[in-house]
Amino acid sequence: MAVVTGSKRRKLVERIGLYTALSTFGIIMVFPFAVVAFGSLKEASDIFRFPPRLLPYSQETVEVDGEQEPVFLIEGEERVLLETVAIGVFAPPDDLDARVNAQVDEVERRGGFMDTETVVIDGEEEPLFDVPVDGDVVGMVQLGTTTEGRFASVEDPGDVVGANVRTAQQVDTLSAQTSNFRQVVELQNLDRSLTNTVLVTLLVVGGTVLSSILGGYAFARIEFPGRDAMFLVYIGSIMVPFVILIIPLYQLMVALGWVNSLAALVFPFFFNAYGTFLIRQFFVSIPKDLEEAAVIDGASRWTTLWRIFVPLSMPAIATLSTFMFLYAWNSFIWPFIVISAGNADNHVLTVSLQQLGGRASDTPNLILAGVVIAIAVPVTVFVLAQRYFVENVATSGIK
Amino acid sequence: MTAISLPSFRLPRLLEASKWLTVVLAWRVLHLLASGTALWFATTSATLEGPASIAANAAALTLVALDLGAIVGLARGRPVGRSLSLAADYLTFLGAVLLLLHVNRIFVGLDALGETFGRGIPFGIVAIAAWVVTGWGEQNNKLVTTRKYARYVAYAAIAAMLVAVGILPGVATFVARTLQPLQLGFLTIALASGYLAWRTFQTDVALEMDVKNRTTRTLDGLLFVSPNALGFVAFFAGPLLFSLFVSLTEWDAFGEPVFVGLANYAQILGLNVAVVGAGESASAALAAGYQPWFSLGNVVIGARDPLFWQSIRNIVFFTAFALPLSTIPALFLATLLNSKAPFIKVFRAIYFIPSIAGVVAVALIWRQLFDSTIGWLNYIISAVIAFLNRLPLLPQFADPRLQWLSDADIALFSLVIVFSWMFIGYNAVLFLAGLQGVDNTLHEAAMLDGANRWQRFRNITLPALRPTTFFVVASTGILTLQLFGENVVLFPTTTPIGGGPQNSTLTPVVYLYEQGFRRFSFGYASAVAWVLFVLIFAFTLVQFRRQRAEAEG
């Protein structure tokens, strides 16, 4: 019995260790997304606040003389900001550490503006000021300036105190600025980018699947001279990095008149060696008996392909579709080169987001709202079709 | 789900096979004359230039060659004549259709569709939903009427979607444009060669010519491969060869390419090593035309293009950090995920999400976290340091307040963080697939022999994972060496764009973009691309060799 409980306890400890490690990594992966999700609901003033807060807040306001004024909490009392005043930091020349704050407009230069009395401190001539301290007037030198807010109590408007505006505590409540999404859509034409992206993605997925099914069938089932050499060339082409095609493909787009047009994002990507390879591998694994029965019944290759191979290969087609979906939705370098210069109506999300990031750096909340719009669709599709995403990764590793 | 059904229709078979073959031979002679004229036009025309001229020449030359072969073959009654004739007519058909679509501005018309497409999306969603319903209870033959109505709904939704996106005005415009002389010409050519190809393809013609099964199979195979293969030639193989040619020229956007041999490569790769004497400046010690790139003691290495070499140094440094950081933790995560504990798939999904969010979104997320004053990263570092400083017996640490994106010493490392965060989960799923293929009996045998966890991992798991490891390292390395998107999003205002503070994040692709699309030196940029390609290829080859050597030794 003792052995059993020992192994049980060990298992429990192992489980706790496992979940701790998994959760730690999980937090590292999720936290940035949480910052985005909540950040997209913040006000600009809230997102620039230090220290950063995860949840979106907005400052509470009260109505003063028909205007909404933000509320601050100063020494336990709710107050509104009346005005900011310039404050000088003064100290007597013989004791520079005995600093006194005084409003600049309550202080006068000793001897007037033209013939100010001066004292010499550290070899520099400094003007003397008459500073009122506790009813007395003391001659002091100015060390620096700051600003101070005059805050009136909400309950008793006559009760005014001074406090530093920057460090004044705001009275905040949780509130989500959903208008950020509308604003960013208007600012960067994101609705049009979104429909363009959906259109491009659908066409690329459809075109690739179609051409891959036809090509994959030929490579898998029709023996003809040169087929294997051709297939090797195809596999080899998967190894060639896209960057090498950028310049010549751009020239081709210039020749076709497709620069700044969605056509440049769609048609060159219909023909995909990886997709052909993936479908071919699946077709090869389909038993020959199935099609032989159909061929005996007089079915043509075309009919066999669509009636037998395609319905049986739905998992492979779904896998290829998810792969091409991500590829088309997230591709950046090619759209950036071929359409970012021209008409903003033809932009896709990645290009719009990149431009938004460049021009809206003073409103990061809007940028984050744009990010949420851009990743919402792929994340939804991922949640719905997780199996195929993971399968796609797994099969690409096994090859 | 319902099977995909395709409409079937039959064209009339004109003439009997032997007479048809005579018609084909006559047509071939006409076709040869036409394609010969096209070839002459393509070679002498001044309006065609660059890729358009190359494509026109290649197409016309192919047709002329096919026609000549077909005429000889058909005249001598050989099956190869029919095959070549089929190929010529099929290509003419495709070419005419594509040209018709091109001059009717169908491809560019996609932009207009982008404007109206949004209206169709709701109908599209209804269609998809209805299509899903048509699959309900199909196995046990229930819900027959529901499925029937769902099919009607799906068809209606698709029709509504097409109307909503403006198919009717679209078709009207297409028809109106087609009724112009040039377009009608293309249409006639397309219809004629389409019918010719179809009729010649029929079995009675094949029987007449005594065509072997093998030839029929070859034609079938080529027909099925043709969309893919032609696209491959047009958008991959052709551009690849063209790029090689461009890299040997000096070419800006406006002039003609001037052949310069290997001069671009010499400029890119030119290095010069010199020893700096006392009181001598580094650039004075180097040969003329070289600028200092790198110095070690009093030895200085100069480059003719120091920016390129700077990009190489950056990318090597980046890969040296990003590759281990995005693969080794991934392997560790995969061993954790390879367990039957509950909720494990939730964690797998969470780790995977960064890789599906896309480069631009991920970089923008991190730009917010990297902010030096209000960013979370510095806030967390400050909090940790404040916590450590409160502990006794530890030296006091200073809060670094790192300038993640504006400090030239750190900027590249910030990119390492972004990249690794994005790909750890993806690589973990790859490793997981490999781990699930490892034979469990070996583990059990080793456990009985008293091997501890680490020994089992080291001696059983790692060797079994070798192919997966190769794939992960090679594919991640190919990605790191082509780093571009992260740079452009994180450093949109530097020159070159994406170059970062003092060019500290200038990568080869960033440099390629700068040369090709800011300075429009296409020849030079192509040469940079080929050098990068060789680098990537060498990297993959080294990984492959290492995997081989380990597998054998």
Side-chain angles (χ1 to χ4, degrees):
Chain A
M1 282 309 279
V3 177
V4 173
T5 40
S7 86
K8 255 189 183 168
R9 187 176 303 152
R10 207 180 133 183
K11 202 165 179 189
L12 185 70
V13 170
E14 262 183 18
R15 276 282 158 90
I16 291 173
L18 175 71
Y19 283 120
T20 314
L22 287 176
S23 307
T24 312
F25 266 101
I27 288 171
I28 294 174
M29 294 298 165
V30 165
F31 182 74
F33 284 111
V35 170
V36 173
F38 291 121
S40 69
L41 296 170
K42 284 179 181 228
E43 291 177 341
S45 60
D46 189 26
I47 207 161
F48 278 117
R49 195 178 166 280
F50 186 86
R53 293 179 294 194
L54 197 55
L55 296 176
Y57 289 91
S58 66
Q59 199 172 359
E60 241 176 45
T61 55
V62 291
E63 200 179 305
V64 178
D65 297 337
E67 303 248 342
Q68 291 293 324
E69 296 283 345
V71 180
F72 294 86
L73 198 65
I74 290 156
E75 284 163 10
E77 195 166 357
E78 291 193 349
R79 289 171 183 276
V80 293
L81 179 63
L82 291 180
E83 55 174 349
T84 53
V85 288
I87 297 290
V89 182
F90 298 93
D94 45 356
D95 183 8
L96 290 176
D97 289 331
R99 296 178 180 190
V100 173
N101 285 0
Q103 283 186 36
V104 172
D105 54 6
E106 288 177 4
V107 173
E108 278 178 12
R109 287 174 178 238
R110 180 168 290 178
F113 192 78
M114 299 301 289
D115 313 292
T116 313
E117 281 184 30
T118 56
V119 287
V120 176
I121 292 167
D122 291 340
E124 297 266 341
E125 258 186 69
E126 297 281 348
L128 263 185
F129 293 87
D130 282 330
V131 181
V133 179
D134 300 334
D136 293 339
V137 174
V138 186
M140 291 189 175
V141 290
Q142 187 168 4
L143 298 177
T145 54
T146 178
T147 54
E148 192 180 73
R150 312 294 297 165
F151 292 94
S153 166
V154 172
E155 267 106 59
D156 174 17
D159 173 14
V160 176
V161 297
N164 191 326
V165 178
R166 256 167 33 84
T167 58
Q169 194 189 348
Q170 302 176 357
V171 179
D172 289 336
T173 45
L174 271 179
S175 84
Q177 300 292 314
T178 43
S179 62
N180 283 347
F181 293 99
R182 193 167 37 79
Q183 276 183 42
V184 74
V185 162
E186 276 164 20
L187 177 70
Q188 194 64 44
N189 209 2
L190 276 190
D191 47 351
R192 187 65 194 274
S193 314
L194 187 66
T195 46
N196 283 344
T197 310
V198 173
L199 179 67
V200 165
T201 306
L202 283 179
L203 288 174
V204 168
V205 170
T208 314
V209 166
L210 198 65
S211 81
S212 299
I213 286 175
L214 295 177
Y217 176 71
F219 283 128
R221 276 298 197 265
I222 309 177
E223 271 174 45
F224 58 91
R227 179 187 74 168
D228 296 337
M230 208 167 156
F231 189 58
L232 266 181
V233 171
Y234 256 64
I235 296 179
S237 77
I238 299 175
M239 295 275 300
V240 176
F242 179 70
V243 289
I244 203 152
L245 295 176
I246 289 175
I247 304 267
L249 217 45
Y250 181 80
Q251 292 303 325
L252 188 58
M253 295 304 114
V254 172
L256 288 171
W258 288 0
V259 175
N260 290 323
S261 164
L262 292 179
L265 306 184
V266 173
F267 300 108
F269 300 94
F270 274 7
F271 315 99
N272 188 295
Y274 168 73
T276 313
F277 171 80
L278 192 84
I279 299 290
R280 185 252 182 199
Q281 298 302 82
F282 201 89
F283 281 178
V284 163
S285 72
I286 291 175
K288 285 208 164 144
D289 320 358
L290 284 171
E291 62 182 301
E292 269 160 17
V295 170
I296 288 166
D297 288 349
S300 66
R301 287 189 196 281
W302 182 254
T303 320
T304 347
L305 171 61
W306 290 101
R307 292 284 169 138
I308 295 177
F309 281 85
V310 170
L312 283 174
S313 309
M314 279 304 168
I317 292 170
T319 303
L320 175 62
S321 302
T322 53
F323 175 81
M324 290 312 294
F325 164 75
L326 278 192
Y327 178 82
W329 193 277
N330 288 333
S331 75
F332 172 63
I333 178 165
W334 180 244
F336 179 70
I337 284 167
V338 86
I339 56 166
S340 72
N343 183 357
D345 277 348
N346 287 343
H347 283 180
V348 285
L349 277 175
T350 45
V351 173
S352 293
L353 271 191
Q354 188 267 336
Q355 294 200 344
L356 180 72
R359 56 189 278 226
S361 46
D362 52 343
T363 47
N365 50 334
L366 294 189
I367 296 179
L368 295 185
V371 169
V372 168
I373 291 173
I375 66 179
V377 174
V379 169
T380 315
V381 173
F382 171 71
V383 170
L384 293 177
Q386 212 204 106
R387 187 156 70 92
Y388 299 113
F389 280 81
V390 173
E391 212 152 275
N392 165 47
V393 177
T395 44
S396 67
I398 289 162
K399 87 187 170 196
Chain B
M1 312 280 162
T2 50
I4 296 159
S5 58
L6 295 159
S8 57
F9 63 96
R10 283 256 160 258
L11 290 170
R13 287 184 180 181
L14 292 178
L15 301 176
E16 57 170 296
S18 56
K19 283 190 186 146
W20 177 257
L21 280 169
T22 330
V23 171
V24 171
L25 184 57
W27 166 261
R28 280 275 73 80
V29 175
L30 268 179
H31 194 265
L32 176 63
L33 290 175
S35 35
T37 318
L39 181 61
W40 176 79
F41 178 75
T43 41
T44 53
S45 161
T47 50
L48 289 173
E49 55 179 16
S53 153
I54 294 171
N57 275 304
L61 198 62
T62 312
L63 287 182
V64 166
L66 286 173
D67 279 337
L68 285 173
I71 288 169
V72 173
L74 284 172
R76 299 176 61 187
R78 294 280 172 78
V80 68
R82 170 180 171 261
S83 304
L84 293 178
S85 175
L86 267 176
D89 281 334
Y90 177 63
L91 290 178
T92 312
F93 166 72
L94 277 184
V97 169
L98 292 175
L99 277 174
L100 176 66
L101 296 180
H102 182 75
V103 294
N104 271 351
R105 306 185 59 76
I106 287 294
F107 299 119
V108 189
L110 219 51
D111 301 343
L113 188 57
E115 194 178 337
T116 56
F117 181 69
R119 286 183 243 143
I121 289 178
F123 298 106
I125 291 170
V126 171
I128 291 171
W131 181 70
V132 169
V133 173
T134 59
W136 282 357
E138 202 168 23
Q139 267 87 24
N140 37 21
N141 217 16
K142 281 180 191 161
L143 298 169
V144 179
T145 36
T146 317
R147 273 189 280 137
K148 197 171 80 182
Y149 285 119
R151 191 167 306 135
Y152 294 147
V153 172
Y155 289 147
I158 289 171
M161 182 173 100
L162 291 177
V163 172
V165 300
I167 186 126
L168 299 177
V171 168
T173 318
F174 183 81
V175 171
R177 281 182 189 162
T178 310
L179 294 174
Q180 294 168 34
L182 180 68
Q183 277 87 333
L184 281 176
F186 284 134
L187 187 65
T188 318
I189 295 173
L191 291 176
S193 24
Y195 183 77
L196 273 148
W198 178 81
R199 181 70 187 90
T200 317
F201 194 61
Q202 296 304 301
T203 28
D204 58 335
V205 180
L207 286 174
E208 173 76 21
M209 296 219 77
D210 215 4
V211 171
K212 289 200 192 83
N213 259 342
R214 201 176 98 107
T215 311
T216 313
R217 234 180 16 237
T218 307
L219 288 176
D220 278 354
L222 289 176
L223 182 64
F224 273 98
V225 168
S226 61
N228 221 317
L230 291 173
F232 185 83
V233 169
F235 295 117
F236 180 84
L240 196 67
L241 291 177
F242 184 57
S243 158
L244 195 58
F245 162 73
V246 171
S247 78
L248 301 174
T249 66
E250 196 180 312
W251 187 18
D252 64 27
F254 311 105
E256 286 279 301
V258 181
F259 189 79
V260 292
L262 294 172
N264 286 331
Y265 292 96
Q267 173 74 17
I268 291 168
L269 297 173
L271 282 182
N272 176 247
V273 183
V275 179
V276 182
E280 196 182 14
S281 80
S283 33
L286 292 164
Y290 290 87
Q291 285 167 304
W293 166 52
F294 193 68
S295 59
L296 209 75
N298 61 348
V299 178
V300 59
I301 302 174
R304 283 172 71 174
D305 185 351
L307 266 187
F308 173 77
W309 284 96
Q310 163 100 26
S311 79
I312 291 292
R313 200 169 64 179
N314 288 342
I315 205 67
V316 168
F317 178 86
F318 177 82
T319 307
F321 281 93
L323 195 55
L325 272 177
S326 54
T327 49
I328 295 170
L331 180 57
F332 171 68
L333 271 184
T335 57
L336 292 182
L337 288 173
N338 190 19
S339 113
K340 295 233 155 41
F343 300 116
I344 214 86
K345 285 196 171 158
V346 176
F347 284 105
R348 190 184 67 181
I350 286 173
Y351 300 157
F352 202 76
I353 286 183
S355 68
I356 61 168
V359 169
V360 180
V362 165
L364 284 176
I365 293 171
W366 278 90
R367 201 173 81 164
Q368 186 62 22
L369 300 176
F370 279 141
D371 192 296
S372 57
T373 48
I374 54 152
W376 278 92
L377 211 54
N378 271 349
Y379 177 67
I380 292 170
I381 290 173
S382 301
V384 169
I385 284 175
F387 175 74
L388 289 178
N389 285 347
R390 256 185 275 128
L391 295 179
L393 302 174
L394 277 178
Q396 292 288 302
F397 299 100
D399 188 346
R401 303 299 303 175
L402 297 172
Q403 305 280 324
W404 293 99
L405 298 180
S406 47
D407 185 336
D409 295 332
I410 309 175
L412 194 59
F413 196 73
S414 306
L415 289 178
V416 170
I417 294 177
V418 177
F419 182 90
S420 308
W421 181 79
M422 191 167 166
F423 286 103
I424 280 180
Y426 185 83
N427 286 339
V429 173
L430 273 176
F431 275 124
L432 182 62
L435 280 177
Q436 283 165 350
V438 175
D439 191 357
N440 228 352
T441 51
L442 276 174
H443 265 275
E444 281 158 13
M447 228 146 123
L448 288 178
D449 289 346
N452 66 23
R453 195 171 285 222
W454 169 249
Q455 284 169 330
R456 274 181 280 141
F457 178 74
R458 180 76 194 77
N459 296 317
I460 297 173
T461 312
L462 269 189
L465 269 184
R466 220 169 263 139
T468 313
T469 312
F470 160 71
F471 179 78
V472 172
V473 171
S475 61
T476 312
I478 291 172
L479 284 178
T480 61
L481 292 172
Q482 295 185 69
L483 188 74
F484 176 78
E486 288 89 340
N487 305 48
V488 170
V489 179
L490 286 174
F491 307 103
T493 52
T494 56
T495 312
I497 184 168
Q502 294 154 44
N503 289 327
S504 59
T505 66
L506 183 83
T507 62
V509 182
V510 168
Y511 188 58
L512 188 161
Y513 177 79
E514 170 75 11
Q515 286 290 344
F517 297 98
R518 292 288 160 111
R519 300 186 194 175
F520 298 105
S521 7
F522 292 125
Y524 199 76
S526 295
V528 170
W530 277 92
V531 172
L532 180 63
F533 176 41
V534 170
L535 187 73
I536 291 172
F537 189 74
F539 170 82
T540 321
L541 202 65
V542 167
Q543 297 302 323
F544 188 68
R545 282 275 168 80
R546 222 181 58 185
Q547 183 225 358
R548 271 274 181 81
E550 275 176 12
E552 282 162 9

